Amino acid sequence: MNTARNFYDSSRYANTGYGPAFSVLDIGLKDRVAVIEPDSGFWALAASDALEDALAGELLGGFLDKAAAFREEMETLRFGLKPSAVYFNPTERCNLNCSYCYLPETMRRDGKTMTAEELGRTLDRLLIYFREIQPAGVRPQLIFHGSEPLLAKDAVFSGIERFNEDFVFGIQTNATLLDDEAIEFFKKHRVGIGISLDGPDAVIADATRKNWGGTGCYGQVTKVLEKLASYPAFNVITTVTSANVHTLPAMVDFLHEHGVRVGMFNPVRCTREGGLRLKPANDVMAEFFLQALDRTYEHFERTGQKLILANFANILAGIVGPTMRRLMCDISPCGGGRCFFAVSATGDVFPCSEFIGFPEFNGGNLNREELSRIVASKPFQEVTGRKVEAFLPCAGCAIRHFCGAPCPAEVKIVSGTLNAPSPYCQFYEEVVRYAFRVIASEREDAYLWDGWQEETDESFSWI
């Protein structure tokens, strides 16, 4: 009988089948490459002409010294977190008819709007659930989302007043109903405010964001932006489409000129025909997105004032220190259903707002079922069980834990399955390469929020 014997000390070898397996990523620099251990997210920047020495020596030793801690951190980040936030739609209706909206038109035209009493009862149920699963004293986040939440203004205001000490509130709004009274109310109660603006001028911004009569709202939104720019808990979201992708650098100029500190340039989601039709090509998206990032650095060098593009900052943070992420889209499983969930105006609960409008991903109704049962439902488990290791080409990708193949809802619509790569795959590759170039040039501070250094132990080394 033949008996296999292991004569090797696995701690001494890399890329042999016995030790850790490193991948080499071209980051677009002549003299540097990134060397990544994909399972843990450990990485190092190595000299291109000394790669063999790095893999056989210092890099391997640096990884082995901290391998257990890195893997435990990644495991906790991916599978050990509990819900701590909820996206809450107090109404299904919207006063705009944006070309790329991910919600069905019938819902936005004629859907339900919560009364103050209904909203209060729902928040009571949510609070009971969060108090059961979160440590004492921790306040969950609740973001009023949409459709347009200010169509339920009275209910939203009453909920914030009653539960202001229980939740950390935010609101994402198209800003058309954000009058002085609402602004003062939100500031008084320290509510985070996000507004949507898709271009630096009316021609671009109004091309895809119009009301039901076909009229844009650029003028109204820019007036609100000017009033809120200095508010610390304020951000501007730009949905990037083929109609405005070429204006991203100019949008950086616009936001910086108006004193905005945080923005997001979000690729349009392809969950409905409108978004799919307006999706920019990946190479075009990468070209102008990276130009926009360059422009934020130019402004920072010139003025010392940062404009944080949050979706890029999150990817950069996820590389520098995985637990520093503030968004949970660019990792798998994504945050949907495990770090946050979405509640519709009817009380139906979905893993994420992107799934609202798709009945097969309805986990249950909060008015009739316990949340603990809903988050354990099959629709939720399908999303929270989505792992990039389970499908190609992501299973063999060096940057799979810096990208996460988002967004599951979008992937499902485009590919017919959750287990497929993102339609923006090549775009995310270029963004990660750019992030490594930022690190190689030691410019992280220009792209990350103030105080980021105190939030993390960096999970990398220099060779």
Side-chain angles (χ1 to χ4, degrees):
M1 181 175 65
N2 293 327
T3 302
R5 298 179 63 189
N6 182 1
F7 292 98
Y8 294 92
D9 175 2
S10 63
S11 67
R12 296 174 54 206
Y13 300 93
N15 289 17
T16 64
Y18 289 96
F22 293 106
S23 297
V24 178
L25 179 70
D26 177 4
I27 61 173
L29 297 177
K30 291 182 178 180
D31 60 341
R32 292 275 178 179
V33 294
V35 182
I36 304 168
E37 200 283 315
D39 287 340
S40 65
F42 171 88
W43 59 270
L45 289 175
S48 302
D49 59 0
L51 188 56
E52 290 184 6
D53 291 340
L55 287 171
E58 188 176 347
L59 187 152
L60 179 60
F63 171 74
L64 293 173
D65 287 344
K66 298 182 178 180
F70 287 149
R71 286 172 175 155
E72 181 180 357
E73 181 180 63
M74 187 59 70
E75 183 75 9
T76 299
L77 184 65
R78 298 181 68 201
F79 305 109
L81 303 181
K82 295 179 179 180
S84 60
V86 55
Y87 290 91
F88 193 100
N89 289 18
T91 179
E92 295 180 317
R93 299 178 61 208
C94 190
N95 59 339
L96 296 188
N97 184 30
C98 300
S99 304
Y100 51 73
C101 187
Y102 60 89
L103 295 173
E105 182 175 323
T106 53
M107 181 184 293
R108 290 181 284 116
R109 275 187 180 275
D110 305 311
K112 176 180 172 53
T113 296
M114 282 184 166
T115 66
E117 292 74 19
E118 289 171 331
L119 188 145
R121 287 197 299 270
T122 307
L123 295 191
D124 270 327
R125 293 187 183 97
L126 288 168
L127 188 58
I128 291 170
Y129 170 75
F130 282 119
R131 283 179 173 170
E132 289 175 348
I133 66 169
Q134 290 292 336
V138 173
R139 290 195 298 162
Q141 289 185 301
L142 190 144
I143 300 93
F144 289 109
H145 209 257
S147 295
E148 174 46 51
L150 284 177
L151 287 174
K153 176 181 174 180
D154 292 343
V156 168
F157 279 23
S158 69
I160 291 172
E161 287 185 323
R162 178 181 165 191
F163 293 92
N164 198 42
E165 300 304 316
D166 301 307
F167 293 95
V168 177
F169 283 107
I171 186 167
Q172 178 62 38
T173 170
N174 62 36
T176 59
L177 303 175
L178 198 53
D179 56 21
D180 289 343
E181 176 195 7
I183 290 173
E184 289 309 309
F185 177 87
F186 291 141
K187 285 183 175 181
K188 175 184 175 182
H189 292 89
R190 305 180 304 280
V191 175
I193 304 173
I195 69 170
S196 297
L197 183 65
D198 283 357
D201 59 59
V203 173
I204 297 298
D206 292 346
T208 53
R209 297 185 64 81
K210 304 175 183 179
N211 64 22
W212 294 96
T215 302
C217 53
Y218 172 84
Q220 293 171 273
V221 176
T222 52
K223 289 178 182 177
V224 170
L225 183 151
E226 290 166 357
K227 294 176 182 179
L228 283 168
S230 62
Y231 182 49
F234 174 63
N235 68 82
V236 177
I237 293 180
T238 297
T239 299
V240 185
T241 67
S242 56
N244 68 352
V245 62
H246 61 287
T247 69
L248 294 185
M251 191 64 182
V252 167
D253 296 340
F254 175 89
L255 295 175
H256 196 277
E257 179 184 344
H258 285 79
V260 175
R261 307 295 180 88
V262 179
M264 295 182 73
F265 289 173
N266 287 343
V268 63
R269 291 304 179 200
C270 304
T271 46
R272 297 212 171 262
E273 181 60 32
L276 185 59
R277 187 174 59 251
L278 286 166
K279 179 190 179 297
N282 284 332
D283 58 340
V284 175
M285 179 75 194
E287 176 186 357
F288 289 104
F289 187 84
L290 300 190
Q291 286 183 22
L293 292 172
D294 287 342
R295 194 70 62 86
T296 65
Y297 185 76
E298 292 167 9
H299 284 300
F300 174 71
E301 271 200 315
R302 180 175 57 83
T303 68
Q305 180 59 55
K306 296 180 183 180
L307 169 61
I308 305 300
L309 294 182
N311 47 328
F312 172 71
N314 201 63
I315 288 177
L316 180 60
I319 296 172
V320 174
T323 59
M324 194 168 62
R325 301 166 195 256
R326 293 188 172 183
L327 307 171
M328 293 300 289
C329 293
D330 44 33
I331 193 167
S332 82
C334 72
R338 66 181 190 91
C339 300
F340 56 80
F341 51 85
V343 177
S344 77
T346 62
D348 290 333
V349 185
F350 298 82
C352 174
S353 295
E354 296 288 343
F355 285 106
I356 294 178
F358 296 99
E360 63 269 33
F361 286 98
N362 183 347
N365 189 283
L366 189 57
N367 298 318
R368 300 187 294 270
E369 302 171 63
E370 296 294 327
L371 254 173
S372 57
R373 294 184 62 183
I374 293 174
V375 299
S377 66
K378 182 179 178 181
F380 272 62
Q381 294 304 307
E382 287 182 0
V383 177
T384 60
R386 179 181 184 265
K387 301 186 292 185
V388 290
E389 297 95 325
F391 52 88
L392 296 172
C394 301
C397 181
I399 63 170
R400 58 180 178 261
H401 292 327
F402 306 144
C403 161
C407 147
E410 175 178 64
V411 169
K412 173 69 173 178
I413 298 306
V414 172
S415 301
T417 174
L418 292 174
N419 293 323
S422 167
Y424 287 100
C425 179
Q426 294 83 2
F427 164 69
Y428 289 124
E429 286 182 23
E430 295 309 314
V431 172
V432 171
R433 288 190 175 96
Y434 185 97
F436 275 112
R437 294 197 294 274
V438 167
I439 295 166
S441 62
E442 300 184 1
R443 294 178 173 179
E444 303 100 305
D445 189 55
Y447 296 90
L448 294 172
W449 49 88
D450 293 338
W452 66 271
Q453 297 96 331
E454 286 73 50
E455 295 184 27
T456 185
D457 293 323
E458 295 174 322
S459 60
F460 68 90
S461 64
W462 288 76
I463 301 298

